[in-house]
């Protein structure tokens, strides 16, 4: 297993606060923490993109957002429209919810077409599909990953980190890495709360970590901002 320094782990973290009641001051602090600790990116709701761009001006921290979140039941057209808007607002990367109900219903063509439509609307920006492994059987996990790769996503993500989406596990990350077969990267999220867990997930094959405990992971102390 590879060893990671604190700085190397920090550079893999997308520090997250997507709480519905997050305030502007909390978003500012989130961005300041990203710059202070050298995190890869900040993950926030679309309404805060412009603020984040201002707070992070001149830094290398990426502005990342989530759409179709957390339910994923909006129409493909509305998700694609939202994708176009967040790109226009300045998002560097976008994590999005596919329609898990389509997948569970065996509506594989509909699932793949929706993902492809959303990816197309990103106009080349990095996209990450949140596959909510906590709701899927082992067979469905593989199918979801295969369909998403065919649809052109940049990253496969095990979970949104919320609700029934599930927590990041070494086994699930290894599965995604294997199915991706170098055609997509892997982002892990859900329940990553300490340095050792972060290193284990990275060694399993994740290229990025989504967590609201970024400061705690790299410093050993600090607030966990949400269940994410």
């Amino acid at each position: 297993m590879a060893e990671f320094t604190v700085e190397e782990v920090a550079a893999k973290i997308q520090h997250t606060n997507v709480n519905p009641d997050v305030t502007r001051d909390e978003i500012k602090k989130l961005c300041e923490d990203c710059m202070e600790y050298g995190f890869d990116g900040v993950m926030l709701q679309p309404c805060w993109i412009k603020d984040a761009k201002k707070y992070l001006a001149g830094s290398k921290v990426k502005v990342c957002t989530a759409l179709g979140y957390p339910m994923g039941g909006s129409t493909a057209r509305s998700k694609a429209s939202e994708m176009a808007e967040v790109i226009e607002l300045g998002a560097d990367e976008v994590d999005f919810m596919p329609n898990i109900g389509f997948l569970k219903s065996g509506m594989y063509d509909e699932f793949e077409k929706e993902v492809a439509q959303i990816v197309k609307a990103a106009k080349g920006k990095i996209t990450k599909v949140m596959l909510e492994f906590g709701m899927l059987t082992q067979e469905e996990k593989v199918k979801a990953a295969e369909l998403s790769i065919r649809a052109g996503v940049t990253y496969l993500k095990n979970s949104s980190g919320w609700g029934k989406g599930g927590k990041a596990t070494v086994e699930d990350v290894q599965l995604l890495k294997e199915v991706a077969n170098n055609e997509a990267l892997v982002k892990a999220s859900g329940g990553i709360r300490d340095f050792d867990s972060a290193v284990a997930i990275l060694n399993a094959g994740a290229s990025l970590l989504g967590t609201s405990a970024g400061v705690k992971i790299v410093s050993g102390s600090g607030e966990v901002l949400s269940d994410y």
Side-chain angles (χ1 to χ4, degrees):
M1 292 178 64
E3 295 184 0
F4 288 83
T5 65
V6 169
E7 291 77 16
E8 287 170 336
V9 170
K12 303 290 187 181
I13 289 175
Q14 296 195 327
H15 194 38
T16 302
N17 191 335
V18 288
N19 290 337
D21 59 348
V22 65
T23 66
R24 175 176 277 166
D25 286 344
E26 289 170 332
I27 291 296
K28 184 178 181 182
K29 179 64 165 60
L30 192 74
C31 292
E32 290 170 347
D33 285 344
C34 287
M35 291 185 286
E36 178 179 351
Y37 292 99
F39 295 142
D40 173 81
V42 62
M43 172 61 68
L44 33 68
Q45 294 187 79
C47 60
W48 300 114
I49 291 172
K50 283 190 173 181
D51 292 270
K53 296 294 283 189
K54 178 178 65 176
Y55 300 143
L56 294 169
S59 79
K60 296 181 180 179
V61 179
K62 299 165 189 166
V63 175
C64 312
T65 195
L67 65 81
Y69 179 82
M71 305 302 289
S74 301
T75 65
R77 182 178 178 181
S78 68
K79 290 180 189 178
S81 176
E82 187 177 2
M83 175 66 82
E85 181 179 10
V86 299
I87 297 302
E88 183 179 346
L89 287 171
D92 298 304
E93 302 183 4
V94 184
D95 297 24
F96 68 91
M97 288 291 296
N99 193 312
I100 299 299
F102 284 175
L103 184 78
K104 298 288 290 184
S105 300
M107 298 165 60
Y108 300 138
D109 286 346
E110 290 86 347
F111 180 90
E112 182 180 346
K113 286 176 181 176
E114 182 200 61
V115 173
Q117 186 173 345
I118 296 166
V119 169
K120 182 179 180 181
K123 297 182 178 179
K125 293 288 188 179
I126 289 174
T127 56
K128 312 185 200 85
V129 61
M130 299 184 275
L131 296 176
E132 305 302 82
F133 269 16
M135 303 181 190
L136 306 183
T137 65
Q138 201 71 5
E139 182 179 329
E140 288 168 342
K141 291 176 183 180
V142 173
K143 191 68 175 179
E146 290 174 342
L147 293 171
S148 297
I149 291 168
R150 283 210 318 238
V153 297
T154 319
Y155 279 82
L156 302 171
K157 189 175 174 185
N158 64 293
S159 171
S160 64
W162 278 79
K164 294 165 62 179
K167 306 300 184 184
T169 67
V170 165
E171 293 76 17
D172 280 343
V173 171
Q174 288 174 334
L175 174 66
L176 286 175
K177 182 71 172 177
E178 180 180 349
V179 176
N181 194 29
N182 297 319
E183 294 184 66
L185 299 170
V186 177
K187 178 179 176 181
S189 70
I192 305 170
R193 294 283 183 268
D194 58 68
F195 186 82
D196 289 344
S197 297
V199 169
I201 293 295
L202 290 171
N203 271 313
S207 296
L208 287 173
L209 306 174
T211 178
S212 61
V215 174
K216 182 176 183 292
I217 288 170
V218 299
S219 71
S221 62
E223 185 181 2
V224 177
L225 302 176
S226 72
D227 290 337
Y228 187 93

